[in-house]
Amino acid sequence: VQLQASGGGLVQRGGSLRLSCRASGFNLNHFPIGWFRQAPGKEREGLSCISSSDGSTYYADSVKGRFTFSRDDAKNTVYLQMNSLEPEDTARYYCVTDFETPCSRSFLQYSYAIDYWGKGTQVTVSS
């Protein structure tokens, strides 16, 4: 199981970025996929996840309305469109999957229960 995130970079406040996460070793539409982030000195924060069963999504309050999670089954890739970025969004962003925990508040809340983590991609938002 491998998850390769890309698309991070430096953007100004109010700007947008689209992160990609390509899965290998499994079909990502068979398991929930999520995005977490971690800023220096802070705990991991669950942002969003997408259900394997019906493609429904769940968002943390901190990103609801600004971030959009989507999935392209043909490319075995998921995307996180991030708009209206703020300096507080600066962090390393990780895509993750877990073979047992469904996409839900729990998926985002209990990062220690997530089995598979990609290496992440850095997002820096300047003021």
Side-chain angles (χ1 to χ4, degrees):
V1 173
Q2 289 190 341
L3 297 163
Q4 181 64 52
S6 61
L10 175 64
V11 64
Q12 290 187 335
R13 165 181 269 155
S16 299
L17 281 174
R18 188 177 80 155
L19 305 184
S20 301
C21 177
R22 188 176 186 282
S24 57
F26 72 106
N27 290 327
L28 55 77
N29 60 355
H30 290 179
F31 302 101
I33 305 292
W35 286 96
F36 281 71
R37 69 185 177 189
Q38 188 168 24
K42 294 188 177 180
E43 294 186 354
R44 286 173 175 171
E45 178 186 11
L47 304 178
S48 181
C49 57
I50 189 165
S51 171
S52 58
S53 58
D54 59 4
S56 59
T57 52
Y58 188 91
Y59 295 93
D61 290 342
S62 59
V63 303
K64 195 176 297 182
R66 298 190 299 128
F67 291 10
T68 304
F69 199 158
S70 61
R71 189 177 73 198
D72 186 333
D73 292 345
K75 295 182 178 180
N76 215 32
T77 300
V78 295
Y79 304 95
L80 187 68
Q81 177 66 43
M82 307 187 296
N83 299 327
S84 303
L85 286 164
E86 294 290 336
E88 305 86 82
D89 295 314
T90 295
R92 192 162 187 86
Y93 285 67
Y94 300 87
C95 63
V96 305
T97 189
D98 189 87
F99 291 176
E100 296 183 356
T101 307
C103 174
S104 61
R105 180 183 294 273
S106 295
F107 187 101
L108 301 185
Q109 189 172 2
Y110 302 115
S111 63
Y112 59 83
I114 301 299
D115 289 335
Y116 298 101
W117 294 72
K119 290 185 178 180
T121 185
Q122 179 67 33
V123 172
T124 303
V125 184
S126 66
S127 56

